[in-house]
Amino acid sequence: MKIRRLILQNFRGYLGPTPIDFEGDLTAIIGKNDVGKSTILEALEIFFNNKTVKMDAQDKSVAATDNEVRISCVFDDLPSELIIDASHSTTLQDEYLLNADGLLEIVKVYQVQKTVVGPETYIRCMHPTAENIERLHQCKLSELKSLGKEFGVEEAIADKRIAALWRKGLWEKAEDLGLSETQLDIGTLEKESKAIYKKIDMELPVFALFKADRESVDGDPEAKNPIQTAVDQAKKRLQAEIEELQKKVEESVLEVANRTKEKIKEIDPALASELHPRFKDKPKWTFNFTLDGEGGVPINKRGSGVRRLILLNFFRAEAEKKRVEQKAPRVIYAIEEPETSQHPNYQLMLIEALLDLSSRPECQILLTTHVPGLAGLLPVESIRYIEADQCGLPNIQEGTEEVLQKATESLGILPEAEIATAKAVLLVEGHSDVTFVNHSSSQLSASGHISDSLQNRGIAPIPIGGCGNLKHWVSKRLIEELGLDWAVLMDSDIGDPVQNERNIKKIQELSEQGKIALLTRKREPENYIDPDIIKDE
């Protein structure tokens, strides 16, 4: 599952209900200080984990007229089935657990006064409300059987031990379901329906928040959280095996307890009758991972630059990981100001890693930034610009030329200076590509293979980081204002099935618009260097 939308109500500056829509792969939240960018990421941390950031009494909006704080998440890319046990599966559609848009919407409600109570969890869905069938998820199996006999569906139920089949039979029998928007309280569900929600919960993405500023404490999450996130993903992936092992542990211990009880019964039957073996708590599977520093100095006691460097290289390692896990658990990486405490070169490396990571089907990236050089590399469709409205409330905007203009002016994203003196422009991905095409054209011209170099023709190669990002949008506007011709040369990224397919699609779109749009035949310009040169060096 991937998050499609966050809805905030009475949470900090969001009086609401305020929806924030996310781009499928990467969403960049841009705006001036104190307009509510970090609030979005922290609300998600509360929704998914309530660990790094926890709900407290001060999180309720000062303008709220009631005590309820609501954080809702809407998900798409839903599982095709939910396997309840080895013999039966069901779907979110069959259980009427989807909203009017056919998406899964989970609502967490906190009662906030001097203290915080909750959350209570609901599923907002289009649910049957007709008499006798409106509360089937709250009915025990015996109650469903009784209703089934009353409405004459008993013969149609293939396996009378499965509550979902009774619900489906009763809903199909009804002439009018009276579907209406309903908040289904998870706390009131009967045992099997709670098992359905447990399966939903297992399908939710792992959420990892990396904040820009935090006090350094022992076990600082900024130092260990990247790899702790990998632990959380592994637990989700192996959840079925963990539950099976847990069941075996419980059975083994209960077997010993019952044998002990039988022995007590031989001596004192009255005492034995008073004893009822059970687990007070379910076994807890915790795996806390950390990185020990040189000479025993904890990583969290090192400078913030070192901690963020660990974070940078975690994302680089993840981006380079082979796509071998077809059913890898989904993960949302939320990064606040990735530029913090990093050299500009490292900032660019991090953004490039995040862009690459966002192309992986199991990953979703959310980030905030103030740095023009980084924001300029972000895809135009990923931009969410926040500014305060006339009442001082956050106003989230996206998708229009006016919004992009506001974002670029707010951050000061400028076009490349070379455009102003050029006769035409060749858009390439990075600065190394500029070096490559300039040097290649000069050498080919000098050796007589082409009539002239790019430089002599007045054609300026401009690095834009990738066609379709904010930097490209700014440069393209200036190019059009100056009436210059332009073309695009992009890496093919052959060998990367996701990125290669995207690049081909972009080139096709531009070609259809009548532009010169080309892909390298090899993976990237570096692959055009003769291997003998590398061996000699």
Side-chain angles (χ1 to χ4, degrees), residues 401-402 405 472-482:
E401 295 282 308
E402 181 184 359
Q405 188 65 40
H472 170 237
W473 182 82
V474 173
S475 295
K476 185 168 173 287
R477 279 178 66 104
L478 179 58
I479 291 166
E480 290 172 348
E481 288 175 7
L482 294 174

Side-chain angles (χ1 to χ4, degrees), residues 405-469:
Q405 188 65 40
K406 286 181 180 179
T408 57
E409 289 176 356
S410 171
L411 293 173
I413 297 173
L414 301 174
E416 295 291 334
E418 292 88 342
I419 293 174
T421 58
K423 294 179 180 178
V425 172
L426 175 64
L427 302 176
V428 295
E429 293 193 30
H431 289 280
S432 63
D433 299 332
V434 172
T435 303
F436 170 74
V437 295
N438 273 333
H439 181 73
S440 298
S441 73
S442 297
Q443 293 299 308
L444 290 168
S445 173
S447 59
H449 290 286
I450 60 176
S451 61
D452 217 339
S453 67
L454 292 175
Q455 187 175 8
N456 289 342
R457 285 291 185 92
I459 299 173
I462 302 296
I464 55 163
C467 189
N469 61 32

Side-chain angles (χ1 to χ4, degrees), residues 110-305:
Y110 299 81
Q111 299 295 329
V112 181
Q113 297 186 52
K114 291 183 178 179
T115 58
V116 176
V117 178
E120 295 176 344
T121 303
Y122 301 86
I123 296 179
R124 181 179 282 121
C125 51
M126 296 300 291
H127 202 70
T129 61
E131 189 177 0
N132 296 317
I133 58 170
E134 77 278 20
R135 290 180 55 80
L136 298 189
H137 277 297
Q138 287 88 352
C139 290
K140 296 179 181 178
L141 181 59
S142 59
E143 294 172 311
L144 292 171
K145 288 180 177 180
S146 178
L147 280 171
K149 290 178 182 178
E150 181 182 341
F151 287 93
V153 301
E154 185 177 14
E155 294 300 319
I157 307 304
D159 188 337
K160 295 177 173 54
R161 299 168 299 173
I162 306 297
L165 295 178
W166 287 99
R167 286 194 298 271
K168 186 174 182 180
L170 286 163
W171 283 327
E172 288 177 346
K173 183 72 173 179
E175 293 183 4
D176 182 9
L177 293 173
L179 292 179
S180 181
E181 186 176 279
T182 303
Q183 283 204 156
L184 198 63
D185 186 348
I186 300 302
T188 67
L189 300 183
E190 191 44 51
K191 181 179 179 181
E192 195 203 58
S193 292
K194 281 186 177 176
I196 292 173
Y197 182 74
K198 184 178 179 182
K199 292 293 182 181
I200 292 172
D201 191 53
M202 287 173 58
E203 292 284 344
L204 293 180
V206 173
F207 182 82
L209 172 63
F210 304 99
K211 289 176 60 62
D213 52 352
R214 188 195 303 109
E215 292 181 9
S216 290
V217 295
D218 289 338
D220 186 354
E222 188 173 87
K224 74 174 185 178
N225 255 11
I227 305 183
Q228 186 62 39
T229 302
V231 172
D232 294 339
Q233 281 185 282
K235 285 175 63 179
K236 279 231 172 189
R237 186 174 63 252
L238 300 172
Q239 189 61 40
E241 289 91 334
I242 289 174
E243 289 183 354
E244 182 63 27
L245 180 57
Q246 177 176 301
K247 182 179 177 182
K248 289 180 179 179
V249 170
E250 290 177 350
E251 289 174 350
S252 178
V253 173
L254 287 173
E255 192 267 335
V256 172
N258 283 319
R259 281 195 287 110
T260 302
K261 180 180 176 179
E262 288 301 312
K263 290 301 179 184
I264 294 173
K265 189 175 181 180
E266 294 174 5
I267 299 173
D268 190 339
L271 174 60
S273 66
E274 296 174 6
L275 301 177
H276 304 286
R278 69 178 179 87
F279 278 93
K280 287 182 64 178
D281 298 299
K282 293 286 185 182
K284 293 181 174 59
W285 302 84
T286 57
F287 305 89
N288 289 320
F289 187 94
T290 190
L291 293 169
D292 290 329
E294 183 71 24
V297 179
I299 290 295
N300 67 286
K301 300 302 182 185
R302 307 284 290 274
S304 60

Side-chain angles (χ1 to χ4, degrees), residues 307-324:
R307 299 199 307 275
R308 296 293 280 193
L309 194 60
I310 293 170
L311 180 63
L312 157 66
N313 286 287
F314 166 75
F315 286 124
R316 292 180 67 214
E318 284 293 283
E320 293 172 6
K321 186 169 65 176
K322 291 182 179 179
R323 293 182 171 91
V324 294

Side-chain angles (χ1 to χ4, degrees), residues 5-12 14-20 39-40 42-44 46-47 55 59-61 64 66-73 105-112 116-117 119-124 181-185:
R5 178 178 300 138
L6 170 69
I7 306 169
L8 299 178
Q9 184 171 350
N10 291 344
F11 184 71
R12 300 184 188 173
Y14 292 86
L15 189 58
T18 307
I20 302 99
T39 294
I40 293 172
E42 292 185 1
L44 289 168
I46 291 171
F47 179 93
M55 177 73 73
D59 285 326
K60 186 181 76 171
S61 171
D66 58 74
N67 295 321
E68 281 192 355
V69 175
R70 291 172 170 262
I71 301 177
S72 307
C73 285
E105 184 169 350
I106 299 175
V107 184
K108 295 196 176 181
V109 180
Y110 299 81
Q111 299 295 329
V112 181
V116 176
V117 178
E120 295 176 344
T121 303
Y122 301 86
I123 296 179
R124 181 179 282 121
E181 186 176 279
T182 303
Q183 283 204 156
L184 198 63
D185 186 348

